[in-house]
Amino acid sequence: MSEVVVLVSGRGSNLRALAAAMDEGRCRGRIAAVIADRPCDAIEWARARDLATDIVRPKAYAARAEWDRALADAIDAYAPRLVVLAGFMRIVGPSVLARFGGRVVNVHPALLPAFPGMDATKQAIEAGATRSGCTVHLVDAGVDTGPALAQAACPIEPGDTSETLHARIQILEHALLPVVVDSLLAR
Ligand code: GRF
């Protein structure tokens, strides 16, 4: 069985979509653990599902590099084949990349390289873009700069707010992330 560790910070809708796809046999693998940098809905959901969970809080460490090492250790405890950042609101550092480089993927709510970083849907609307979407990409040391593995696009409708656009993009994310995870685990 291919173990997947999912890193989260928020609502966890991508985590739930991935778990559902695995349960329904649409995605191979198993969620070995859900790890967060803070208490959040995604961790609550994982606990309710009896999944292993861990919270590695940056504040508990004197330096960023120590937190990064602790995060890498927490992930390593589950010996995953793949690490999925699903709404993880921090940049993973050199310790995580050194141990899992090439096996860390992120889902981002824009058609990268357009609109990396925070508030991608707000950026797209403010730029006057007429389409956006989501990207699943390999994580490197930059902010949303790693090679794209797959993208899905949708229109930006007149009158869209950041929230309405994000809701449309999340439907795409929930479909695309399990497909990419499945294909990576098939290798
Ligand atoms: C997603 O839109 C993802 O693209 C971004 O953060 C959001 C997380 O949403 N990186 P959720 O917690 O999976 O609902």
Side-chain angles (χ1 to χ4, degrees), residues 54-159:
D54 201 351
I55 301 181
V56 187
R57 290 179 175 81
K59 275 193 196 141
Y61 300 89
R64 197 187 185 286
E66 284 176 36
W67 169 75
D68 182 42
R69 245 186 329 269
L71 181 63
D73 288 343
I75 298 169
D76 231 353
Y78 299 95
R81 270 192 67 193
L82 198 62
V83 179
V84 175
L85 311 191
F88 188 61
M89 298 304 288
R90 290 181 191 274
I91 295 166
V92 294
S95 295
V96 170
L97 293 178
R99 281 193 241 178
F100 305 103
R103 293 185 288 139
V104 185
V105 299
N106 180 43
V107 55
H108 181 77
L111 298 172
L112 292 171
F115 313 124
M118 298 291 287
D119 297 324
T121 49
K122 188 162 170 267
Q123 290 183 52
I125 289 171
E126 286 178 357
T130 54
R131 64 200 281 273
S132 190
C134 66
T135 303
V136 180
H137 66 96
L138 282 175
V139 173
D140 65 9
V143 177
D144 303 321
T145 51
L149 299 170
Q151 294 186 309
C154 64
I156 298 179
E157 307 284 2

Side-chain angles (χ1 to χ4, degrees), residues 8-16 42 85-89 106-110 134-135 144 166 169-170 173-174:
V8 293
S9 300
R11 285 191 317 134
S13 68
N14 280 286
L15 165 67
R16 296 196 300 277
L85 311 191
F88 188 61
M89 298 304 288
N106 180 43
V107 55
H108 181 77
C134 66
T135 303
D144 303 321
H166 196 204
I169 290 173
Q170 285 222 295
E173 292 182 340
H174 300 161

